[in-house]
Amino acid sequence: MILPGHTLGMLGGGQLGRMFTVAARTLGYRVMVLDPDSGSPAGRMADDHVHAAYGDGWALDQLAQRCAAITTEFENIPADTLRHLADRVPVRPGAAALEHTQNRAREKHMIRRAGLDTAPFEVVASADQVEAAFQSVGDPAILKRAALGYDGKGQVSVDSAEACRRAFERLGRVPCVLERKLDLAVEISVVLSRGSDGVCLCYPVAENIHRGGILHMSIVPARVPDATVREACDAAIALAVALDYVGLMAVEFFITTEGQLLVNEVAPRPHNSGHFTLDACITSQFEQQVRALCGLPFGDTHLLSPVVMVNLLGDLWTDGEPDWGMLLSHPRAKLHLYGKEEARPGRKMGHFCVLDTHQDQAIADAERLFDALPAVRADD
């Protein structure tokens, strides 16, 4: 076990790294962040912030020399960086796990090999594959970049082979995955931790509502049958085992109108839909990430109260700072702002949670508080 007093390394300086840093420092660890942005949210909270690219040899040497273990806050850290570090210090999760999740095609094939279902899909690596792929997948469909797409970016809905061809050009003729759009009843996610000893522990399942391809609200516990909860947790654990994963990860699922559970994607890190754990669970997903990295026993994931988490995007700042008054006056609302220097449309600037013993009341209060946030312009 790596006990408090040691320094932990974090590759990535966004809000997930920031919340990891807070959890680690609360437990008594030092944190060293590597991120090229001098104003990164995690870097501003850490004991040490190395401003360098993720492949910078000097910066990686600094981490390897000073950190007892290293983790990541997003999946697109170069695998070679992780392998370089892993030769000298424990890195969790490892390069092999991230390589599978950095590419939608590899990820979906891995999911299928694990015996789990996905939406029908085909890989489109060149323009001459478009026609056959569309005929196989069917209409309607969505074309997604195989790499680097997130929060609705890098994907285009298509309803014909010609539309798919145009979308392939629009996405830069890079390898893509064409996926069938299904009639969905609900989307859910499972956040879980897996230790180096193979022990897995799941958090309560979240029900997720998206707007414009970006998560808007997570409702916990999810309003789905208990059998579906068990099936989703079993599937998430199966994927963690298939990846030989060590650390904290999340799995997103579709549930069709016919009740079929399909794996959407795997996130090898803490997840936006798991932010409710900061306020509503005995152990947050970020403390659990610290525990997994350091080889500590996992904390209890028990849900203390029904909870609703709502994302705060940069769109809310269009006319100035949001009006936080009503939210901060609510006795069961918890505000989390990420310390980002610039608000942009679609950028995740923070979130808030509302807890209540009655789930319907938590949902109603969360919706009312969100609607009250936009600032009133001076000329109104």
Side-chain angles (χ1 to χ4, degrees), residues 154-234:
Q155 50 188 264
V156 182
S157 295
V158 296
D159 58 6
S160 67
E162 179 56 32
C164 189
R165 188 172 293 106
R166 292 195 300 270
F168 185 70
E169 295 289 336
R170 176 179 164 186
L171 293 176
R173 300 175 63 88
V174 297
C176 293
V177 170
L178 183 66
E179 182 179 304
R180 180 69 182 270
K181 292 180 72 174
L182 301 172
D183 293 328
L184 302 181
V186 67
E187 298 181 42
I188 63 174
S189 57
V190 177
V191 174
L192 76 154
S193 53
R194 183 172 185 267
S196 56
D197 57 0
V199 171
C200 292
L201 199 58
C202 292
Y203 281 91
V205 175
E207 174 185 343
N208 300 320
I209 298 170
H210 292 78
R211 292 183 180 178
I214 302 175
L215 180 65
H216 168 62
M217 175 183 290
S218 292
I219 300 168
V220 188
R223 296 169 295 180
V224 299
D226 289 344
T228 302
V229 169
R230 290 192 294 271
E231 183 182 0
C233 289
D234 288 345

Side-chain angles (χ1 to χ4, degrees), residues 15-21 23-24 203 248 270-271 274-275 277-278 283-291:
Q15 66 266 18
L16 300 180
R18 174 189 174 101
M19 288 181 271
F20 168 90
T21 299
Y203 281 91
L248 191 111
H271 197 252
H275 290 347
T277 64
L278 284 163
T283 308
S284 77
Q285 64 171 343
F286 300 100
E287 179 181 336
Q288 205 79 303
Q289 184 185 19
V290 174
R291 288 174 172 271

Side-chain angles (χ1 to χ4, degrees), residues 307-331:
V307 59
V308 176
M309 188 283 302
V310 181
N311 268 333
L312 301 171
L313 304 183
D315 311 64
L316 290 169
W317 277 255
T318 299
D319 295 318
E321 188 78 11
D323 183 357
W324 305 114
M326 185 179 293
L327 193 154
L328 291 173
S329 297
H330 192 294

Side-chain angles (χ1 to χ4, degrees), residues 13-328:
Q15 66 266 18
L16 300 180
R18 174 189 174 101
M19 288 181 271
F20 168 90
T21 299
V22 171
R25 294 190 65 181
T26 298
L27 288 173
Y29 295 92
R30 294 176 57 84
V31 179
M32 185 175 188
V33 167
L34 171 60
D35 189 278
D37 179 6
S38 61
S40 70
R44 292 163 65 184
M45 297 291 289
D47 295 278
D48 295 290
H49 182 188
V50 179
H51 309 153
Y54 297 119
D56 184 287
W58 175 87
L60 297 182
D61 283 345
Q62 291 297 303
L63 261 72
Q65 291 170 14
R66 298 173 57 186
C67 296
I70 297 170
T71 189
T72 61
E73 70 132 19
F74 69 108
E75 49 266 54
N76 290 318
I77 299 294
D80 286 345
T81 291
L82 300 181
R83 291 195 181 91
H84 176 81
L85 290 169
D87 286 339
R88 301 169 62 184
V89 64
V91 177
R92 297 166 178 160
L98 262 68
E99 277 185 318
H100 278 95
T101 58
Q102 287 172 345
N103 182 284
R104 294 183 191 275
R106 287 198 298 267
E107 180 179 83
K108 288 185 180 295
H109 287 303
M110 179 274 297
I111 292 167
R112 292 278 184 88
R113 287 195 301 272
L116 302 172
D117 294 326
T118 68
F121 74 93
E122 293 289 344
V123 176
V124 178
S126 62
D128 58 13
Q129 295 177 328
V130 168
E131 180 77 30
F134 188 83
Q135 292 300 320
S136 174
V137 170
D139 173 31
I142 184 165
L143 187 70
K144 303 178 180 180
R145 291 178 57 136
L148 301 179
Y150 67 98
D151 282 347
K153 300 178 179 69
Q155 50 188 264
V156 182
S157 295
V158 296
D159 58 6
S160 67
E162 179 56 32
C164 189
R165 188 172 293 106
R166 292 195 300 270
F168 185 70
E169 295 289 336
R170 176 179 164 186
L171 293 176
R173 300 175 63 88
V174 297
C176 293
V177 170
L178 183 66
E179 182 179 304
R180 180 69 182 270
K181 292 180 72 174
L182 301 172
D183 293 328
L184 302 181
V186 67
E187 298 181 42
I188 63 174
S189 57
V190 177
V191 174
L192 76 154
S193 53
R194 183 172 185 267
S196 56
D197 57 0
V199 171
C200 292
L201 199 58
C202 292
Y203 281 91
V205 175
E207 174 185 343
N208 300 320
I209 298 170
H210 292 78
R211 292 183 180 178
I214 302 175
L215 180 65
H216 168 62
M217 175 183 290
S218 292
I219 300 168
V220 188
R223 296 169 295 180
V224 299
D226 289 344
T228 302
V229 169
R230 290 192 294 271
E231 183 182 0
C233 289
D234 288 345
I237 290 170
L239 289 171
V241 172
L243 289 167
D244 193 21
Y245 196 87
V246 178
L248 191 111
M249 62 178 274
V251 183
E252 298 179 2
F253 295 91
F254 296 143
I255 301 177
T256 69
T257 52
E258 297 177 348
Q260 186 181 15
L261 184 74
L262 304 173
V263 180
N264 177 27
E265 61 185 29
V266 179
R269 51 174 171 76
H271 197 252
N272 193 176
S273 68
H275 290 347
F276 73 91
T277 64
L278 284 163
D279 300 312
C281 289
I282 291 177
T283 308
S284 77
Q285 64 171 343
F286 300 100
E287 179 181 336
Q288 205 79 303
Q289 184 185 19
V290 174
R291 288 174 172 271
L293 177 62
C294 295
L296 302 175
F298 289 140
D300 196 324
T301 59
H302 177 72
L303 186 70
L304 299 171
S305 165
V307 59
V308 176
M309 188 283 302
V310 181
N311 268 333
L312 301 171
L313 304 183
D315 311 64
L316 290 169
W317 277 255
T318 299
D319 295 318
E321 188 78 11
D323 183 357
W324 305 114
M326 185 179 293
L327 193 154
L328 291 173

